[in-house]
Amino acid sequence: MDLRFALEVAVSALMIAGGIFAVIGAMGMVRFRDFYMRLHGPTKSTTLGVGCVLLASMSFFWLKNGHPSLQDMLITLFLFITTPVSAHLLTMSGLHHKLPSAPETKGQPYELDDEDDIARN
Amino acid sequence: MLTNAIAISALLFMLAIALNFYRLIIGPSIPDRLAALDTMYVNAIGAIILFGMWLNTTLYFEAALLIAMLGFISTVAVCKYLLRGDIIE
Amino acid sequence: MTLLLIVLLPLVGSLVPIASARSGRTTCAWLTAILPAIALGIAAWYTPAVFGGQLPQVSLDWVPALGLDIAFRLDGLSLLFVYLVLGIGLLIILYARYYLSEKDSMSRFYAYLMLFMTAMLGIVTADNLLLMWFFWELTSLSSFLLIGYWSHLSEARKGARMALTVTGAGGLCLLAGILLMGHVVGSYSLTTVLEHRELIQQSSLYQPILLLFLLGAFTKSAQFPFQFWLPHAMAAPTPVSAYLHSATMVKAGVFLLARMYPVLSGTDEWFYIVTLTGLATLLYGAFFALIKQDLKGVLAFSTISHLGLITLLFGFNSKLAAVAGVFHIINHATFKASLFMAAGIVDHECGTRDIRKLNGLWRYMPYTTVLAAVASASMAGVPLLNGFLSKEMFLAQSLEAQMLGGLSWMIPALATLGSVLSVAYSLRFIHDVFFNGEPRDLPKTPHEPPRYMRLPIEILILLCIMVGILPGIMVEPILRAATAAVVPGQAPEIHLALWHGFNLPLMMSAIALSAGVLVYLLRNHIYRFHRQFRAVNARQSFEFSVQRVVRSAQWGLDRFENGSLQRYMFLLLLSAVIVAAFGLMDVPSMAGLKSLQPLDPVVVTGAGILCLAGLGTVMLHRRRLLSLLFLSVVGMFVSLTFARFSAPDLALTQLAVEVVTIILLMLALFFLPQKTPKESSGRRVSRDILLSMIFGGVIASLNYAVLTRPLQSISTYFIENSVPGGGGHNIVNVILVDFRGFDTLGEITVLGIAGIAIYKLLNRLRLFMPSSDMEGRPWSPDRYPVILSSVSQTLLPLALLVSVFIFLRGHNLPGGGFIAGLVAAVVIILVYMSRGVEWTQRRMSFNYQPIAVTGVAIAALTGLGSWVFNKPFLTSSFGHFDIPLIGDIELATAMMFDLGVYLTVVGSTLMILANLGKVTTPHRPSKEKQ
Amino acid sequence: MEALYATVTGILTACGIYLTLRGRTFPVVVGLTLLSYAVNLFLFSMGGITTGHTTIVDSGQPYADPLPQALVLTAIVIGFAMTAFVVILAMRTRGDLGSDSVDGQRTDEPREERK
């Protein structure tokens, strides 16, 4: 019983945390000044948030059914494989579009284009 | 306690989605909007999971699963379009 | 049953000439003649029975629901007409053999002729009004073919068209009348109708019925003011004129009068309309017959006038008049047919029909002269000929008519005038053509026609004389029989005799004869009198009116159909919304009784985003890519909505479809302009906004009205039988693959067809590909981003596993063939995107069409499989299996079916997307080639 | 809830209708897609909108009406097939007439870069 209560607390905490992370990510997305910064929000914070929720549900249903649900694992797997890739592609398209970057953004993005060329040959 | 937590968290996620949508609307650039869309997908996963927990059923997990896969794929498609125009070549 | 043969034999006979076209003209003619001859024999075989007062009938069901059955009867009237049609028809066949020149196709002519004969026989023997109407229109059609036989002559074509239009239109009126009558009587069977005289005449629909029937009859027998088509139909070969325009087709109208006489006649309306029309026609025709210069024109107008006479006779509401009418039908048929044939001979031998050129032919063809003279004498009503008898009766009856009250004396007076004129033109026909000086510059030198060309005329003339001298023996029996059919109640006392003693009618015909001669002698004055009128060309005015109709129709069409699909769409939606709105107006109150569910902030936010996304799609629709992004937001939230309102299956499907749609639109967008130009006017935009808002409003209120009403679902059956019947726990899936499996089969078939159609449409599609995106940036040189390709490769097996997983559990938990198929397709598309067509094709070297087809086949076979165990189509049987991780699943036959669905979806989706992707490949050679 | 749902359906319908009335093929296609979304929502709601119900037999929850769901499910798929068909038709029009106007008249883009 006690253990159960503790677990419930943990699960709730995870969920709240997940929500907060998600909002933070979204805030970042809204507030940051240029595209490259804005990408930080979703790639890190949001993923983390959803991760938390997934963890929460995993343990939640573990609690409930005695075994973790297969889907949760699959989702987590997919999420953690795909997010970086989509982020990478987004950056590429951003660079391709030569989006303006705020001074705070480190690195001169445009030379990356040549890197692309190198990668191609 | 759990139900409250779920409710709060769901609200937060909805808020996050709303914010993403705001970014999607204001843009300014297409990659911006695309990123927003992608993030909406991800947040939607969270929302659905929470919904499932709230009803305490696993029936909705496939939906989340599919969003995880297909959201990614549509993002890829749009990126490919932005980069190459022709997405299957 | 043999009764049927009377109609069937000629119908079959219409094939004979075509079959025997090769074997010489004479043979062809004889072979064609055989079947009608047999039919005539059958009629003769029935004759005693009919004279004995019996009524042979035959009836087969055709479309009982419409009250339409193949029913024939052979009463006296029918018999009389059968004799006319077949007898004269045979003579015409013989005559035409010699009339038609070598270059005219004989078989074609005979085929048309037999077809017409069939139609005519059908009319006169039909025992069902609808059937009669069918044959009625068939005569119009076949006469069109016959009149237009010399289709190289514009005369013939125009004349044929005119005849078809007028008689066809009349036929439609007749149909309307028949339908009304059937409505009144409650049956289309002629026998029944004939018994309900009172019912019909009492009914409020009597006037319309009468009018419509008379329109039909008058157009057919060229009654004033519809007479104008007949003279122009003279462009037909003379045998046709002799057959159609003297003996049969124009008689169909008066036949209808006779046929309906028992039920329609006897009222004032009948008397006034029919009598006056008949009278007008009689005089009009007679006058123009006198002044026409064309030989056949004279005959045509005389025919009109005689038809008027018959109509007039039926108009008098007296039994004897009807008898006279029937009698005159016979006589007119005989002498007019022979006259036409004679005219045909003249035309044939002299090469012209112009009376001004034709003179004094008696020297060249004395024999024909005699025949023609006798025939026209009969037409003039000279004693000892049949024409005389019926004319006597006619004059006698005209004296009887009292309906005009104080003016009644006019009828006999005018009747006499009519006969005076008819004497005159008969005389003219003979004297001008065969005597009266020498022929002037004829194309050919005339001579007697071949022996057998005269034979038909001789026969008819013989009839004329026999009837004229011995009416009692020749025609009385058949006349009795026919009258019995026409005149209700006991037949009147007919006494046909040459000599009724000195009486008024006799005096009138004496006047007629003498005055006729006088009029003829003074004809030149009449011509001069007539010349002062401007000649109206019926054909031109007819053609003109036709043109006008066509033009106005075109105008009306252009108002609606201006070739703009945009406009059609608008009209379509407008009408739809109007209909729906009217539907809603009947709903008393918008909100139903059901208590509403509470809102929660999450749903509100979602709904808000959904609406905004929708609006965004519209507002940004000029920048197409953006509107696509918003569209995918809409798609995602729709699927979230489904999930929210407890429809996981729908959520899954919607998600998959949404992604596929986005990819598809993306692929298409590459070939289409990136921006939509601003071209719709402000007026149009505001108009469209208004319409769409109204539409949305209607839908919304409709939806609300439904949602707020307690619903009684029919799904309890499915819920109860899902497990026992379908062996699945996921009711939605069980419904798809089991209960409504047949619909699903249809749907996947549609899917496959769509895929194949698209595959075909993409075939040799030539498009231009922008080398830069809308801001003019050149495309990124990096074709297949490394990370993407590697990741997608690792993702592929995983994702396929997921799809299989979704498929397998679909029968019990959300999932199933549709979704799994879409997932698999999308994943493969991912590989296409990240690796390119060549790479993928090399590893997946199969076409997708077979997959789709196999899918449909599997599904169908599963259905058929249940037949093997003689269960109904798509009955599923199932057993349980336990698979780790996925859990207990049924391997039901439904599973097989679902597999079919799965394959079809994969196949068609890939067929669509991959093929679309391939369009560009040949034009953009990839690096792997080098 | 019901009112909100109905409103959303209505708005989506309106958007779809407006786009289908445009003069170019692509917006029309997008409009059709929107319209089909709206229609699916509408049809789905014919079974009533319920929360936490299910269409899975004996999973302990009350049943949602499965029939509209089944119908809508196939409707979604068929809708996709039809959209695809229309899209390809649009491309074909562009390819053959050089214009993407629904009425197929105005040739507006230069037809260069034919490879």
Side-chain angles (χ1 to χ4, degrees), chain C residues 30 58 105 158 172 250 460 530 540 561 603 635 791-792 858:
Chain C
W30 283 114
V58 56
S105 147
K158 293 206 175 98
L172 290 180
V250 291
L460 288 171
H530 177 258
Q540 274 168 11
E561 195 167 343
V603 171
V791 167
S792 64
I858 290 180

Side-chain angles (χ1 to χ4, degrees), chain D residues 14-27:
Chain D
C15 297
I17 296 280
Y18 178 77
L19 281 186
T20 44
L21 286 170
R22 295 305 90 213
R24 295 308 178 116
T25 49
F26 195 79

Side-chain angles (χ1 to χ4, degrees), chain C residues 563-566 569-570 573 595-600 603-604 607 610-611 614-615 617-618 621 624 628 631 634-635 638 641-642 644-647 649-650 653-654 657-658 660-661 664-665 668-669 671-673 676-677 679-680 684-685 688-689 691-693 695-696 699-700 702-704 706-708 711 713-715 718-719 722-723 728-732 735-736 747 750-751 754 757-758 761-771 812-814 818 822 909 912 916 923, chain D residues 1-59 62-106 108-115:
Chain C
S564 155
L565 299 177
Q566 217 173 338
M569 195 72 194
F570 180 79
L573 292 170
S595 60
L596 304 187
Q597 302 173 27
L599 286 170
D600 61 60
V603 171
V604 176
L610 184 47
C611 299
L615 293 170
T617 320
V618 173
H621 80 273
R624 296 179 170 182
L628 267 191
L631 184 65
V634 176
V638 168
T641 318
F642 286 140
R644 172 68 182 73
F645 296 114
S646 53
D649 298 271
L650 289 189
T653 321
Q654 176 62 57
V657 164
E658 182 251 341
V660 178
T661 315
L664 173 81
L665 293 180
L669 189 53
F671 300 100
L672 297 173
T676 310
E679 57 194 359
S680 358
R684 158 165 266 151
V685 169
D688 293 353
I689 291 180
L691 175 67
S692 39
M693 278 166 75
F695 215 106
I699 294 293
L702 192 59
N703 199 353
Y704 184 70
V706 173
L707 282 175
T708 48
L711 87 159
S713 163
I714 61 168
S715 306
F718 300 116
I719 295 170
S722 173
V723 175
H729 286 77
N730 178 1
I731 308 168
V732 175
I735 290 178
L736 282 179
E747 273 145 353
V750 171
L751 198 57
I758 287 170
L761 271 175
L762 288 171
N763 192 0
R764 268 189 275 98
L765 172 60
R766 294 167 66 247
L767 290 161
F768 72 83
M769 282 157 269
S771 60
N812 288 330
L813 292 164
F818 278 112
L822 284 166
T909 317
I912 295 167
L916 188 44
H923 311 303
Chain D
M1 194 74 89
E2 282 78 0
L4 187 64
Y5 190 96
T7 323
V8 171
T9 323
I11 289 180
L12 284 188
T13 317
C15 297
I17 296 280
Y18 178 77
L19 281 186
T20 44
L21 286 170
R22 295 305 90 213
R24 295 308 178 116
T25 49
F26 195 79
V28 170
V29 173
V30 174
L32 284 177
T33 320
L34 269 179
L35 202 55
S36 65
Y37 287 160
V39 169
N40 291 337
L41 282 175
F42 182 80
L43 288 181
F44 166 65
S45 71
M46 291 303 110
I49 53 177
T50 51
T51 311
H53 290 209
T54 175
T55 58
I56 307 299
V57 179
D58 30 278
S59 61
Y63 290 116
D65 192 344
L67 194 55
Q69 296 193 17
L71 298 183
V72 172
L73 198 155
T74 46
I76 293 173
V77 179
I78 296 292
F80 160 67
M82 289 307 122
T83 317
F85 192 75
V86 178
V87 169
I88 307 301
L89 272 183
M91 288 173 62
R92 190 86 210 184
T93 326
R94 178 88 190 296
D96 296 354
L97 304 174
S99 147
D100 72 331
S101 117
V102 285
D103 302 342
Q105 298 129 1
R106 309 174 282 281
D108 39 14
E109 302 87 5
R111 317 180 77 186
E112 88 289 12
E113 301 185 48
R114 268 287 165 70
K115 302 248 179 57

